[in-house]
Amino acid sequence: QVELVESGGGLVQPGGSLRLSCVASESIFSAYTMAWYRRTPKKQRELVATITNTRSTNYADSVKGRFTISRDDAKNTVYLQMNSLKPEDTAVYDCNSLPPTWNWGQGTQVTVSS
């Protein structure tokens, strides 16, 4: 079973940036479309961004133009560069394949607040 470990979250002011990382425990990661998701206590987990194994990307309308997903298969890592952050981006961010295949990790908390 692949294990996923997310990191890079934190508290940032509106307009700020963060870079999230997600490391998978096995190299099988490289065969999968990977995705970042986010969740809040009031909302179900939503899909934020995806990247195929050929580096094709897709984004939710709410983050398009602000977030960038990338991957480094040699490091079994997927990234999410988040710029121009807004308070509504506050959430716990998780990564997994698309559709989700593996157990969810702990996620990383992103809080956007002044």
Side-chain angles (χ1 to χ4, degrees), residues 51-89:
I51 184 166
T52 69
N53 59 357
T54 58
R55 307 297 192 272
S56 178
T57 60
N58 208 350
Y59 299 92
D61 287 343
S62 59
V63 307
K64 203 169 290 184
R66 300 187 297 121
F67 290 10
T68 302
I69 188 171
S70 61
R71 64 192 295 164
D72 185 339
D73 291 342
K75 296 181 179 179
N76 296 341
T77 302
V78 61
Y79 303 98
L80 187 68
Q81 177 67 44
M82 305 187 297
N83 298 329
S84 302
L85 282 161
K86 304 176 180 180
E88 51 264 43
D89 295 318

Side-chain angles (χ1 to χ4, degrees), residues 6-114:
E6 301 91 348
S7 63
L11 173 63
V12 63
Q13 291 187 341
S17 298
L18 285 171
R19 188 192 195 205
L20 307 184
S21 299
C22 170
V23 181
S25 60
E26 297 183 18
S27 60
I28 193 174
F29 159 98
S30 64
Y32 288 80
T33 292
M34 293 299 296
W36 281 98
Y37 305 79
R38 65 187 181 188
R39 52 187 163 93
T40 69
K42 295 184 178 180
K43 289 178 66 174
Q44 285 186 320
R45 184 177 276 118
E46 64 171 335
L47 183 62
V48 173
T50 64
I51 184 166
T52 69
N53 59 357
T54 58
R55 307 297 192 272
S56 178
T57 60
N58 208 350
Y59 299 92
D61 287 343
S62 59
V63 307
K64 203 169 290 184
R66 300 187 297 121
F67 290 10
T68 302
I69 188 171
S70 61
R71 64 192 295 164
D72 185 339
D73 291 342
K75 296 181 179 179
N76 296 341
T77 302
V78 61
Y79 303 98
L80 187 68
Q81 177 67 44
M82 305 187 297
N83 298 329
S84 302
L85 282 161
K86 304 176 180 180
E88 51 264 43
D89 295 318
T90 295
V92 177
Y93 285 72
D94 301 292
C95 73
N96 211 313
S97 58
L98 178 71
T101 302
W102 307 302
N103 290 336
W104 295 96
Q106 298 256 344
T108 186
Q109 175 71 49
V110 171
T111 303
V112 185
S113 175
S114 54

